[in-house]
Amino acid sequence: MSARRLVWRACYELLAARVREPRWAFMDYGYAPPGPPVLELEPRDEADRLCIQLYEHVVAGDLRGRDVLEVGSGRGGGVSYLSRYRGPRSVVGLDLSARAVALSTRERGGPGASFVHGDALAVPFPDDSFDAVVNVESSHCYGDVPAFLAEVRRVLRPGGDFFFADLRPARQVERLRAELAACGLRVHREEDVSAGVLRALERDSERKLGLIDAWIPRPLHPAFRPFAGIAGTRNHTGLRDGDQRYLSAWLVAPPQPAPAG
């Protein structure tokens, strides 16, 4: 395992061990559409609306009755949301942090929801296991995106969907686009959603600061504010100034070949 991925795993293991607050379910930056919100949520999910709206925007296809894998499931909020709102047959959350998997198993219920400890570069499932794979704001930790995409292609069933979103330095955006184009899946939709993610960060910054003060051990505050995208920190200013970009994409696996003859 690369040094980069070891550092990220240690970071997420520490967060899962030190911050056991069950209400912290999402770690994505969120998405605020240009118009008024139209997504109807249960009262218990309203606090996470901006984070959920990112999932709703990215996971644009129909999940009803399908087997879904989320790679990089973190604290389990995405799996719980998809399982409760989108009608899949099953949703498995895969994460490199064993403590995050344990926390998610304990705190994130939902119909057909489960969590597994494993590696995005060596997904612990057979070929053709899932109808859809979801990957939200996680791939920047991997170090070898083509290897990850090869695993997505392997575990997707024919005609299956891959729903992806993440941020990159502006100078790396074309490389990411080339990696997606070359992975053996057809790019059905690709969109720069930097403006919507930036709106979410700015609308949610004050609330997040309060949660950091309430939930995060004080010695971790200086590192956690940039991690959370608080206004004025590196990723917020990068998105504001165009030095960082946030892409979402929907890719589709090739269909089952027609029988010969």
Side-chain angles (χ1 to χ4, degrees):
M1 187 178 296
S2 69
R4 176 191 182 93
R5 297 180 67 239
L6 286 170
V7 169
W8 278 111
R9 183 174 70 175
C11 173
Y12 287 115
E13 292 283 13
L14 176 64
L15 288 175
R18 296 289 301 275
V19 188
R20 299 185 181 182
E21 170 56 60
R23 289 174 291 175
W24 181 23
F26 291 87
M27 291 191 285
D28 67 86
Y29 279 177
Y31 175 78
V38 296
L39 181 63
E40 294 186 7
L41 296 175
E42 298 175 15
R44 63 170 168 156
D45 294 317
E46 276 295 337
D48 293 317
R49 169 173 286 278
L50 291 169
C51 294
I52 288 171
Q53 285 176 171
L54 180 62
Y55 274 83
E56 189 68 13
H57 175 82
V58 173
V59 186
D62 189 0
L63 299 185
R64 288 175 294 181
R66 306 178 82 193
D67 296 315
V68 181
L69 171 68
E70 182 179 17
V71 181
S73 54
R75 296 175 74 91
V79 166
S80 178
Y81 170 70
L82 295 173
S83 71
R84 291 183 292 115
Y85 283 82
R86 299 293 297 274
R89 178 166 61 182
S90 66
V91 189
V92 179
L94 176 74
D95 203 87
L96 190 60
S97 165
R99 288 190 175 98
V101 168
L103 182 151
S104 298
T105 300
R106 185 172 66 247
E107 303 291 350
R108 307 286 168 241
S114 61
F115 298 90
V116 174
H117 178 227
D119 191 337
L121 304 188
V123 175
F125 295 101
D127 297 359
D128 303 334
S129 291
F130 298 97
D131 302 298
V133 175
V134 178
N135 185 243
V136 173
E137 211 169 296
S138 180
S139 70
H140 60 275
C141 303
Y142 299 164
D144 190 342
V145 170
F148 161 62
L149 294 173
E151 284 294 274
V152 172
R153 173 73 183 85
R154 182 182 66 79
V155 300
L156 270 178
R157 291 170 181 152
D161 297 306
F162 174 43
F163 301 106
F164 170 85
D166 210 351
L167 76 167
R168 289 290 191 278
R171 66 183 183 277
Q172 295 181 14
V173 167
E174 290 310 313
R175 174 182 173 183
L176 174 60
R177 285 177 169 144
E179 290 168 340
L180 293 172
C183 73
L185 307 175
R186 176 176 60 85
V187 179
H188 176 70
R189 186 190 76 180
E190 187 252 287
E191 185 177 354
D192 186 325
V193 294
S194 302
V197 174
L198 180 62
R199 279 192 296 268
L201 287 178
E202 293 181 339
R203 293 178 187 178
D204 216 19
S205 188
E206 185 175 348
R207 183 185 76 94
K208 284 182 178 177
L209 278 172
L211 296 180
I212 289 169
D213 286 342
W215 295 350
I216 306 300
R218 189 160 297 276
L220 300 181
H221 284 195
F224 202 83
R225 291 189 184 101
F227 177 84
I230 298 300
T233 58
R234 181 182 64 254
N235 284 339
H236 167 263
T237 59
L239 286 168
R240 182 194 65 199
D241 298 339
D243 298 324
Q244 295 272 357
R245 309 305 297 170
Y246 203 112
L247 297 187
S248 73
W250 175 0
L251 291 83
V252 180
Q256 183 74 44

